[in-house]
Amino acid sequence: MSVAFCGLELDHPVINGSGTFDAIAAGRTFGAALHERFPFSAFVSKTITVEPRAGNPPPRLWETAAGMINSIGLPNKGLDGFLAQDLPVLAELPVPLIVSLMGTSPEQFTRLVEGVAAEQAVAALELNVSCPNVHSGLIVGEQPEETLALLEALRPLTGKPLIVKLTPNVADPAAVALAAEEGGADAVSLINTLKAAAIDPATLRPWLGAGRGGLSGPAVRAVAVEQLRAVASAVGIPAIGMGGVASGADALEMIAAGATLVAVGTENFRDPAAGSRVASELAKLLESRGFEGPGAARGASLDSPAGA
Ligand code: RRO
């Protein structure tokens, strides 16, 4: 089940989606058992920004049929708070650490990359250019030109892997992925959440404090599979596939759509051990289907699998 990803050797292909598993809180709850049976082969932290943020006004969650809408709004301690308080705890995790970053300008991204990449405990960086819940006037990942310019600014700052988290809220995600690759990204991850809203049936006003949010869970999986196939067919860099993965069969579908790694997101809220379960179900499924490992099934659904 081991898999090579951007120079990292991972025990299996299942990781977490950023912001869907609080490893620090889980450590307080589960103690040593968390490290003994850590559910993911690498850990992606919740996105941080340069300055601390309080997040969006409540309510921040709405449960939908087969999913949920979040309007969390990126609450975090800011770069200095993360480095001082969170990183020392996350550095103790038994798997490689990927830190997720978001800025509203190239200068902010530069400060974040410079602050984080120098830390020995950080294996790779994920650039979140796709958060639907922070309204800065420009979502970099909605435009290939902005994505390319951002990568050209950040690429010289670090030799560590840069993963670009793509938005599904565009007509052509493959064009953005290609721009990320051209700018020197090492991998892409997709999908972030789909723009969504819910109306409070009692008041007929928007339920979420911010008026809208991002949809995740099984409801979005078919959208993710379509976009993953399009992106994996277009680029030569590896992709992390996510969007409603809740079982080994879902993970195999992502792998067949071209994913090198698969991230579990919303399902972690229902079952904190979902990552381990998805990985073991995937292992059994691969074996029963006669695949030697996840790599053997990668891109099986594509007309021209990557590397073919
Ligand atoms: O914090 C959030 O509201 C959030 C983020 Br940063 C993101 O990238 N995707 C999402 O659905 N929510």
Side-chain angles (χ1 to χ4, degrees), residues 18 46-47 56 70-75 102 128 130-134 165 192-193 213-216:
S18 172
K46 167 79 183 157
T47 304
N56 283 344
N70 86 81
S71 169
I72 307 298
L74 203 32
M102 188 212 143
N128 184 353
S130 51
C131 175
N133 293 331
V134 175
K165 177 85 171 263
N192 206 322
T193 51
L215 178 67
S216 64

Side-chain angles (χ1 to χ4, degrees), residues 47-51 74 79 99-117 125-131 134 136 138-142 146-147 149-155 157-158 162-165:
T47 304
I48 59 163
T49 51
V50 173
E51 299 299 335
L74 203 32
L79 175 61
V99 176
S100 172
L101 311 171
M102 188 212 143
T104 54
S105 65
E107 293 71 29
Q108 286 185 5
F109 265 112
T110 296
R111 281 182 63 189
L112 289 162
V113 170
E114 285 177 344
V116 166
L125 292 78
E126 182 170 80
L127 308 173
N128 184 353
V129 296
S130 51
C131 175
V134 175
S136 60
L138 173 71
I139 296 181
V140 171
E142 289 182 351
E146 296 290 337
T147 303
L150 181 67
L151 266 293
E152 285 177 344
L154 301 182
R155 181 68 282 177
L157 303 179
T158 179
L162 294 176
I163 305 161
V164 177
K165 177 85 171 263

Side-chain angles (χ1 to χ4, degrees), residues 25 88 104-105 124 137 176 185 194 224 229 252 259 267:
T104 54
S105 65
V176 182
L194 285 153
R229 288 187 81 242
L252 180 57
E267 182 69 2

